Amino acid sequence: MTRESLARGVPPAAASTVVALTVTGRITAGPVEGRTIRFGRNRTEVDLPVGETDPRVSRRHGLLVRRESHWWVSNTGRLPIRLPKANWLFPGEEPIPLPTGYTPMFIRGSRDREHLLELYISGEDGGQPAARHDAVTHQPRQWPLTPDERLLLVVLGQRYLFHDANPQPISRQQAALMLAELQPEANWSVKRVEHMVSDVRVRLSAAGVHGLLREEVGEPVGNTLNDNLLRELILSTTLVPPDLSLLDSI
């Protein structure tokens, strides 16, 4: 199942329009000075709910405010908000201006869950590439995955989807343990993890993706094959941050 994600872009809109998306809500706001968007756990107190089932997320966890020609994010909750490149916004700190384009933000919740809030701010071109009216349309090639393959690859590549600064796949042993907790009746094991990941790599390699076979990367191999696989799946938007909701029951 493919989930909605702002990582794939947004429809054309006025410059500096912000779109904000969570698992349970979406809001679009134009660049009106003083416009404020509240986000947090209590749907009745905010404009955009996030982490509604997790009591570690504050009822009013943060604000998006338009001022001085920028959208700013501030933390009004009790837990920090994680942004890309290992940046953190702590409660009470000065607001941070947001860049044009796509920004994922994460709120750490109970039992190491992280709740995703995606933002997309349109640029001067309305959020779209420069006009090429007569060019052939190119779409990212999203690779077909079975439900079990998608779950496994989200578990294996969760650090990439969380936008860690230097992500690596988790170990096969750790992946097997997490999968067994998610699906106790599914007979997940290290061998099953190895075979399924290998099957996906071979399939994508046969379709033209380079760097997924041992002979293509040289020794020592280490995590290189799985790292290349996960980067291809994310760059093609086959896997996107909202897929992390598959881990919510851990």
Side-chain angles (χ1 to χ4, degrees), residues 36-40 60-67 71-81 83 88-98 105 107 117 119:
T36 299
I37 299 171
R38 303 163 298 173
F39 58 89
R60 290 171 288 182
H61 205 101
L63 300 173
L64 298 172
V65 179
R66 178 69 182 181
R67 61 180 175 83
W71 284 98
W72 302 72
V73 59
S74 59
N75 188 337
T76 60
R78 295 192 175 186
L79 294 176
I81 298 171
L83 293 95
W88 294 84
L89 177 60
F90 288 88
E93 286 189 332
E94 290 296 315
I96 294 176
L98 294 167
M105 303 193 302
I107 302 171
L117 192 162
L119 302 172

Side-chain angles (χ1 to χ4, degrees), residues 1-5 8 23 102 106 114 116 118 142 145 150-155 157-158 161-162 182 233-234 237-248:
M1 180 174 63
T2 300
R3 287 167 167 75
E4 181 183 13
S5 174
R8 299 190 177 102
V23 172
Y102 177 69
F106 299 90
E114 287 201 313
L116 172 66
E118 295 183 279
Q142 295 177 18
L145 299 172
R150 181 173 296 277
L151 176 61
L152 164 57
L153 290 162
V154 168
V155 168
Q158 58 191 274
L161 294 169
F162 280 131
L182 283 165
L233 293 173
I234 289 170
T237 68
T238 301
L239 297 181
V240 291
D243 288 324
L244 289 165
S245 63
L246 295 173
L247 310 184
D248 279 353

Side-chain angles (χ1 to χ4, degrees), residues 36-207:
T36 299
I37 299 171
R38 303 163 298 173
F39 58 89
R41 174 168 47 91
N42 191 335
R43 179 180 289 266
T44 63
E45 297 182 24
V46 298
D47 306 292
L48 186 67
V50 58
E52 291 184 273
T53 63
D54 192 333
R56 292 200 68 192
V57 177
S58 295
R59 288 169 292 181
R60 290 171 288 182
H61 205 101
L63 300 173
L64 298 172
V65 179
R66 178 69 182 181
R67 61 180 175 83
E68 300 174 357
S69 301
H70 286 90
W71 284 98
W72 302 72
V73 59
S74 59
N75 188 337
T76 60
R78 295 192 175 186
L79 294 176
I81 298 171
R82 186 165 65 83
L83 293 95
K85 300 181 180 179
N87 291 319
W88 294 84
L89 177 60
F90 288 88
E93 286 189 332
E94 290 296 315
I96 294 176
L98 294 167
T100 297
Y102 177 69
T103 300
M105 303 193 302
F106 299 90
I107 302 171
R108 177 66 60 88
S110 303
R111 301 184 64 186
D112 292 332
R113 292 173 63 191
E114 287 201 313
H115 302 277
L116 172 66
L117 192 162
E118 295 183 279
L119 302 172
Y120 197 105
I121 299 175
S122 299
E124 293 300 321
D125 59 0
Q128 302 301 306
R132 298 178 61 197
H133 299 151
D134 297 324
V136 175
T137 301
H138 296 276
Q139 299 291 339
R141 182 175 185 179
Q142 295 177 18
W143 301 101
L145 299 172
T146 68
D148 281 350
E149 288 172 344
R150 181 173 296 277
L151 176 61
L152 164 57
L153 290 162
V154 168
V155 168
L156 194 71
Q158 58 191 274
R159 294 169 179 162
Y160 299 76
L161 294 169
F162 280 131
H163 289 267
D164 282 4
N166 297 293
Q168 285 290 310
I170 69 170
S171 71
R172 296 165 294 178
Q173 293 79 6
Q174 187 179 357
L177 288 172
M178 293 183 68
L179 288 160
E181 186 174 354
L182 283 165
Q183 295 182 335
E185 309 301 322
N187 298 317
W188 285 103
S189 66
V190 173
K191 285 294 184 183
R192 187 182 179 197
V193 167
E194 291 176 345
H195 291 157
M196 190 174 292
V197 173
S198 177
D199 287 347
V200 176
R201 287 203 312 262
V202 169
R203 194 166 72 233
L204 269 61
S205 178

